[in-house]
Amino acid sequence: MPKISEQQKEAVRVEILNAAREVFIEKGFEAASMKEIVGRSGKSFGGVYMYYSNKEGVFLDLLRRQYVGMSQDVALPNPKSGWDTFRLFLQDQERRVKEAGNGLSPSMYEYFIVGRRDSIRRKWNEERRQAVFYSILGLIHDGVKKGEFNPSIPVDTIIHFLISFLEGIFLESIITGPEGIGIGNQFVLLEDMSRSILMPLNKEESK
Amino acid sequence: MPKISEQQKEAVRVEILNAAREVFIEKGFEAASMKEIVGRSGKSFGGVYMYYSNKEGVFLDLLRRQYVGMSQDVALPNPKSGWDTFRLFLQDQERRVKEAGNGLSPSMYEYFIVGRRDSIRRKWNEERRQAVFYSILGLIHDGVKKGEFNPSIPVDTIIHFLISFLEGIFLESIITGPEGIGIGNQFVLLEDMSRSILMPLNKEESK
Amino acid sequence: MPKISEQQKEAVRVEILNAAREVFIEKGFEAASMKEIVGRSGKSFGGVYMYYSNKEGVFLDLLRRQYVGMSQDVALPNPKSGWDTFRLFLQDQERRVKEAGNGLSPSMYEYFIVGRRDSIRRKWNEERRQAVFYSILGLIHDGVKKGEFNPSIPVDTIIHFLISFLEGIFLESIITGPEGIGIGNQFVLLEDMSRSILMPLNKEESK
Amino acid sequence: MPKISEQQKEAVRVEILNAAREVFIEKGFEAASMKEIVGRSGKSFGGVYMYYSNKEGVFLDLLRRQYVGMSQDVALPNPKSGWDTFRLFLQDQERRVKEAGNGLSPSMYEYFIVGRRDSIRRKWNEERRQAVFYSILGLIHDGVKKGEFNPSIPVDTIIHFLISFLEGIFLESIITGPEGIGIGNQFVLLEDMSRSILMPLNKEESK
DNA sequence: CATGAATGAGGATTCATTCAT
DNA sequence: CATGAATGAATCCTCATTCAT
């Protein structure tokens, strides 16, 4: 018979994670200290280590929850047109890009860059990448099924390109700042390109 | 009257930087230790600290020289057509992307991400970004001057977009690895897009 | 009126001790963790601490039971000749020596060595030593009573010597391993010596 | 050009080792803390770690120096009779046994017992054992060469037996204390036995 | 100019024991 | 009686930088 319920455990985890998120956001992964996470969480060292076996464990739970959240957003059934859904996705990304510097993304990039040769970190990154890949794939399939999209080039390439661009503009927003890189204009251009790639028929129709 | 000439000083700096590059590439910025840099350079602590006031100084000199090198490549006068030059630029980038994980880029991203709120690091990043920005701007101006390019959208936006994409694919190559992200295909798509944006008249001419 | 009978209590103790023995054998006394003992016993921290007030308590109960077991073996009435009984004792020791590294002995030696200045541990060691001393004393007295033994030197000295040798060969078996120290030959030599000390008359008789 | 001479380095090492010896003797290997060694040595953490890479390194240097010292004692050329030399060896051991509890031996036994499954520690123990083995072997060979000794049983077995006994009486002296185990009498008995094994001719002569 | 020994605060993590439930 | 979550001091070790020589 557990002494505290799963709900209570979850509540404790959330307390720890909230403290940890603050610290990781302020300091990054490496420079974040367990002492500070422990202090801000109002717990003791032993208390935190009961829930997570090390700093990396705390960080990965934070990442995992973030991506679960994101996937659920996308996974919602949607009655809109394929293109409208795709545009909503882009708008959502634009919004996220603008506040990229204030969230967990910087720590995450640091974590994956520094740990690029560590097999465990690579696996986590792979999962994250797959999640994004399949999210976009779903959007495109949706548009294709609805007869709206007729991609003129392999879908794989389109998605890889989109991911590269999105990762890049995230990174730019983080290190250069959201101002001065014309985020809005970049997304307008991205939308135009996406339209002409996914719906090349429009052009033919306009002939 | 200095006891050793500027040339000798430069030679020492190069020795230090060569050692430092190795260490930064292997360990990243934060995890690189001055002890190892000192050891590999064959110098003493005091010796290294005579030329650079701290680890950051070593790293920044390394970055600076790398970007000076890159800018000079691009700044060479060139007799080719504007589009050919632009394509060469893209090909050069593609090549760099493929070996991004083995160079200084990972350390650099780590450095700028972690230090995104540090004004000194921001300034350095700004310079690096400007260098790339003006390189591309030069390429486009060249094409425009030669009557080949007729950008359909503001040049600023084009460049910001290119930079985002390039930063993104660099990052992907670093953390996910150069295989499995279809670098070649992404660059083909990028070339197509660049052509249709920079030389939209071609389409009309082809009508 | 106790809620659980003494038998039930004993059963719980045995469960705890079985788990504890495993852990102490694997890790030694200091490195053994209560967490692991608790885990393997299938009990809770509170449960274990109800029966033993600390790690030392668990360990000492384990030792105590082991020596009670040993003493009982020896204390059995025996109809054999004094010398045969003595030889059986040596053979039993030889067998134990060969598997010394896999039992509780290493932890025990660790415990008594590290705690050599602790009066409580000294007292326990004294008891253990007395138990062995009187076991051997019994064997010799038996032989003397039966008219077989006629020790040429003080019995005390004989026993101290025997104990030293046995402790030493145990220790050697533990730290150097049972192979390569010629355990069998050592015991043959010990037997020869014992015979010539305990039964010096034989020689004279053989004249 | 080293900043400090090898002699100065050695002096620092000796300072550290003196402090470490005290701490190891008082607390044992595991319980000794680097903090205390650092404190007593009058050095800083970094200072100590410049000379030894970890606690084990300090301890092993201490052991090594002790055994080098012992071997040198024995290695001295000696003009005495073989038996006199052997007796001196036994007397030397007796003296050491009496003060075993106050030296490094307890920590050493702890270290080798706890680490009996660690290949590095085993190797060190093997070396220590070999050193003792060959010391005794030298003594016996000396006596044989001088025509005094004529061992009635294999020399290997004699030495293994001697080592077992010596290890055992050391251990007894440590955990039970030098009083009450009749060290003097044990050594008298050992000497008698050794004589009758190494010089069995005496008996025949006495016939 | 050059050396490299020395500093010491700070890092993550462990674990026997307690006590509110 | 029994639970097991929580405590927090203590562990070893690292490393950028300084400064006496």
Side-chain angles (χ1 to χ4, degrees):
Chain A
M1 225 169 306
K3 206 163 186 178
I4 65 175
S5 70
E6 196 52 48
Q7 278 185 352
Q8 283 170 304
K9 275 188 182 175
E10 176 61 14
V12 174
R13 276 199 212 98
V14 168
E15 278 185 294
I16 294 169
L17 292 177
N18 285 341
R21 182 183 291 108
E22 281 181 28
V23 180
F24 285 130
I25 287 173
E26 282 174 33
K27 312 277 177 115
F29 176 74
E30 208 62 52
S33 82
M34 283 304 275
K35 188 181 176 186
E36 193 149 8
I37 293 173
V38 164
R40 291 208 203 177
S41 70
K43 303 267 167 299
S44 65
F45 274 95
V48 170
Y49 276 89
M50 276 194 50
Y51 291 87
Y52 297 103
S53 56
N54 50 37
K55 188 166 80 166
E56 195 162 6
V58 180
F59 187 71
L60 288 176
D61 197 22
L62 222 37
L63 277 194
R64 190 178 56 76
R65 285 164 189 251
Q66 176 151 300
Y67 277 91
V68 167
M70 268 184 64
S71 304
Q72 286 173 339
D73 292 352
V74 176
L76 293 174
N78 91 80
K80 297 196 186 66
S81 84
W83 176 245
D84 283 347
T85 311
F86 191 88
R87 273 186 37 189
L88 280 176
F89 168 77
L90 293 186
Q91 282 161 21
D92 187 44
Q93 293 297 318
E94 184 176 345
R95 195 173 40 72
R96 287 176 196 270
V97 165
K98 282 176 178 159
E99 45 195 35
N102 306 318
L104 217 49
S105 299
S107 302
M108 184 195 72
Y109 285 123
E110 176 203 343
Y111 177 79
F112 286 127
I113 289 170
V114 172
R116 68 193 182 280
R117 290 196 262 255
D118 178 88
S119 64
I120 296 169
R121 296 200 189 183
R122 288 185 71 84
K123 216 194 56 174
W124 277 85
N125 176 58
E126 206 63 57
E127 274 182 41
R128 178 187 73 95
R129 203 175 185 277
Q130 294 281 326
V132 178
F133 187 95
Y134 285 110
S135 291
I136 301 177
L137 185 62
L139 293 173
I140 296 180
H141 274 176
D142 183 49
V144 169
K145 245 184 276 174
K146 287 177 174 158
E148 297 173 53
F149 294 174
N150 183 22
S152 55
I153 53 174
V155 174
D156 265 30
T157 300
I158 299 172
I159 301 177
H160 284 318
F161 187 94
L162 269 170
I163 290 178
S164 287
F165 171 79
L166 291 172
E167 292 270 45
I169 197 167
F170 256 89
L171 189 56
E172 282 290 289
S173 174
I174 288 167
I175 67 183
T176 302
E179 293 91 24
I181 59 168
I183 291 176
N185 288 336
Q186 288 196 52
F187 269 95
V188 169
L189 176 50
L190 178 68
E191 197 180 308
D192 285 350
M193 285 180 174
S194 301
R195 190 190 293 110
S196 71
I197 288 171
L198 293 172
M199 304 189 289
L201 297 174
N202 293 352
K203 288 177 191 169
E204 292 179 19
E205 281 166 1
S206 69
K207 273 183 195 172
Chain B
M1 214 176 307
K3 280 192 182 168
I4 64 173
S5 72
E6 196 53 46
Q7 277 186 352
Q8 284 171 306
K9 277 188 179 176
E10 177 60 14
V12 174
R13 277 200 208 95
V14 168
E15 280 185 295
I16 295 170
L17 293 176
N18 284 339
R21 181 183 293 108
E22 282 181 27
V23 180
F24 284 129
I25 287 174
E26 283 174 31
K27 314 273 177 128
F29 177 74
E30 198 61 37
S33 81
M34 283 302 272
K35 188 182 175 186
E36 193 151 7
I37 293 173
V38 164
R40 292 209 203 178
S41 70
K43 301 270 164 299
S44 67
F45 276 93
V48 171
Y49 275 90
M50 279 196 42
Y51 290 87
Y52 298 103
S53 57
N54 50 36
K55 187 164 80 167
E56 194 162 8
V58 180
F59 186 71
L60 288 175
D61 197 20
L62 215 43
L63 277 194
R64 189 177 56 76
R65 285 163 190 251
Q66 174 151 302
Y67 278 92
V68 167
M70 268 183 64
S71 304
Q72 285 173 339
D73 292 352
V74 176
L76 294 173
N78 92 79
K80 296 197 185 63
S81 84
W83 175 244
D84 283 348
T85 312
F86 191 88
R87 273 185 39 190
L88 282 175
F89 168 76
L90 293 186
Q91 283 160 21
D92 187 45
Q93 294 298 315
E94 184 176 347
R95 195 173 41 72
R96 288 177 195 269
V97 165
K98 283 176 179 160
E99 46 195 35
N102 306 318
L104 216 50
S105 299
S107 303
M108 184 196 72
Y109 285 123
E110 176 201 343
Y111 177 78
F112 285 127
I113 289 169
V114 172
R116 69 194 183 278
R117 287 197 263 259
D118 178 86
S119 65
I120 296 169
R121 296 200 190 183
R122 289 185 70 83
K123 214 193 57 173
W124 276 86
N125 175 59
E126 206 63 58
E127 274 183 41
R128 176 186 73 97
R129 205 176 184 278
Q130 293 282 326
V132 178
F133 187 95
Y134 286 110
S135 290
I136 301 176
L137 185 61
L139 293 174
I140 296 181
H141 274 175
D142 183 49
V144 169
K145 246 184 274 171
K146 286 177 174 161
E148 295 173 54
F149 293 174
N150 183 21
S152 56
I153 52 175
V155 175
D156 264 31
T157 299
I158 298 172
I159 301 177
H160 284 317
F161 186 93
L162 269 171
I163 290 178
S164 287
F165 171 79
L166 290 172
E167 292 270 45
I169 196 167
F170 255 88
L171 188 58
E172 283 289 291
S173 175
I174 289 167
I175 67 183
T176 302
E179 292 92 24
I181 60 169
I183 292 176
N185 288 336
Q186 290 195 51
F187 269 95
V188 169
L189 176 51
L190 179 68
E191 198 180 306
D192 286 350
M193 285 179 173
S194 302
R195 190 191 295 110
S196 71
I197 289 171
L198 293 171
M199 305 189 290
L201 295 175
N202 292 353
K203 288 178 192 169
E204 292 178 21
E205 281 166 2
S206 68
K207 273 182 198 174
Chain C
M1 214 175 306
K3 281 193 180 168
I4 63 175
S5 71
E6 195 54 44
Q7 276 187 352
Q8 283 171 308
K9 276 188 181 177
E10 177 60 12
V12 174
R13 278 199 208 94
V14 168
E15 278 185 296
I16 295 170
L17 293 177
N18 284 339
R21 181 181 295 108
E22 281 181 27
V23 179
F24 285 128
I25 287 173
E26 282 175 32
K27 313 275 176 125
F29 177 73
E30 197 60 36
S33 81
M34 282 303 272
K35 189 183 174 185
E36 193 150 6
I37 293 173
V38 165
R40 291 209 202 178
S41 70
K43 302 271 164 297
S44 66
F45 276 93
V48 171
Y49 274 90
M50 278 194 44
Y51 290 86
Y52 296 103
S53 57
N54 50 37
K55 188 164 79 168
E56 195 162 7
V58 180
F59 186 71
L60 288 176
D61 197 19
L62 217 40
L63 277 195
R64 189 178 55 77
R65 285 163 190 251
Q66 176 151 301
Y67 278 92
V68 166
M70 267 183 65
S71 303
Q72 285 174 340
D73 291 353
V74 176
L76 292 174
N78 91 79
K80 297 196 185 65
S81 83
W83 176 244
D84 283 348
T85 312
F86 191 87
R87 271 184 41 188
L88 281 176
F89 168 77
L90 293 186
Q91 281 160 23
D92 187 44
Q93 293 298 316
E94 182 176 349
R95 195 173 41 69
R96 288 177 196 271
V97 164
K98 282 177 178 160
E99 45 195 36
N102 307 317
L104 217 49
S105 299
S107 303
M108 185 196 71
Y109 285 123
E110 175 202 343
Y111 178 80
F112 285 127
I113 289 169
V114 172
R116 70 193 181 280
R117 288 197 263 258
D118 179 88
S119 64
I120 296 169
R121 297 200 190 183
R122 288 185 72 83
K123 214 194 55 175
W124 277 86
N125 175 58
E126 206 61 60
E127 275 184 40
R128 176 185 74 95
R129 203 175 185 280
Q130 294 283 326
V132 178
F133 187 95
Y134 285 110
S135 291
I136 300 177
L137 184 62
L139 293 173
I140 296 179
H141 274 176
D142 183 50
V144 170
K145 245 183 278 173
K146 287 177 175 157
E148 298 173 52
F149 295 173
N150 181 22
S152 56
I153 52 177
V155 174
D156 265 29
T157 299
I158 298 171
I159 300 177
H160 285 316
F161 187 93
L162 268 171
I163 291 179
S164 288
F165 171 79
L166 290 172
E167 292 271 44
I169 197 167
F170 256 87
L171 188 57
E172 282 290 289
S173 175
I174 289 168
I175 69 183
T176 301
E179 292 91 26
I181 58 170
I183 292 176
N185 289 335
Q186 290 196 51
F187 269 94
V188 169
L189 176 51
L190 180 68
E191 198 181 307
D192 285 350
M193 287 180 174
S194 302
R195 190 189 296 112
S196 71
I197 289 171
L198 294 172
M199 306 189 288
L201 296 175
N202 292 352
K203 289 179 194 169
E204 292 179 21
E205 282 167 2
S206 69
K207 273 184 199 174
Chain D
M1 225 168 308
K3 207 163 185 176
I4 64 176
S5 69
E6 196 52 47
Q7 279 185 351
Q8 284 170 304
K9 275 188 182 175
E10 177 60 14
V12 175
R13 276 197 213 97
V14 168
E15 278 185 293
I16 295 170
L17 292 176
N18 285 339
R21 181 181 295 107
E22 281 181 28
V23 180
F24 284 130
I25 288 173
E26 282 176 31
K27 313 277 176 115
F29 178 74
E30 207 62 53
S33 84
M34 282 304 274
K35 190 181 174 186
E36 192 148 8
I37 293 173
V38 164
R40 291 208 202 176
S41 70
K43 302 268 168 297
S44 66
F45 272 92
V48 171
Y49 276 90
M50 276 193 50
Y51 291 85
Y52 297 103
S53 55
N54 49 39
K55 189 166 79 170
E56 194 162 7
V58 180
F59 186 71
L60 288 176
D61 197 21
L62 222 37
L63 277 196
R64 190 179 56 76
R65 286 165 188 251
Q66 176 151 300
Y67 277 91
V68 167
M70 269 183 64
S71 304
Q72 286 173 339
D73 291 354
V74 176
L76 293 174
N78 90 80
K80 297 195 184 65
S81 84
W83 176 244
D84 283 348
T85 312
F86 191 88
R87 272 184 40 187
L88 281 176
F89 167 77
L90 293 186
Q91 282 161 21
D92 187 44
Q93 293 299 316
E94 183 176 347
R95 194 174 40 71
R96 288 177 196 271
V97 164
K98 283 177 178 159
E99 45 195 36
N102 306 318
L104 217 48
S105 299
S107 302
M108 185 196 72
Y109 285 122
E110 175 203 344
Y111 178 79
F112 286 128
I113 289 170
V114 172
R116 69 192 181 280
R117 290 196 262 254
D118 179 88
S119 64
I120 297 168
R121 297 201 189 181
R122 289 185 71 84
K123 216 193 55 176
W124 276 86
N125 176 57
E126 205 63 58
E127 275 183 42
R128 177 184 74 93
R129 203 175 186 279
Q130 293 282 325
V132 178
F133 187 95
Y134 286 108
S135 291
I136 301 176
L137 185 61
L139 294 173
I140 296 180
H141 275 177
D142 183 49
V144 170
K145 245 184 278 174
K146 287 177 175 156
E148 298 173 52
F149 294 174
N150 182 22
S152 56
I153 53 176
V155 175
D156 265 30
T157 299
I158 299 172
I159 302 177
H160 285 316
F161 187 93
L162 269 171
I163 291 179
S164 287
F165 171 79
L166 290 172
E167 291 271 44
I169 196 167
F170 256 88
L171 189 56
E172 282 291 289
S173 174
I174 289 167
I175 67 183
T176 301
E179 294 90 24
I181 59 170
I183 292 176
N185 289 336
Q186 290 195 50
F187 269 94
V188 168
L189 175 51
L190 179 68
E191 198 180 307
D192 285 350
M193 285 181 176
S194 302
R195 189 190 296 112
S196 70
I197 289 170
L198 295 171
M199 306 189 290
L201 295 175
N202 293 352
K203 289 180 192 168
E204 293 178 19
E205 283 166 1
S206 69
K207 273 184 198 175

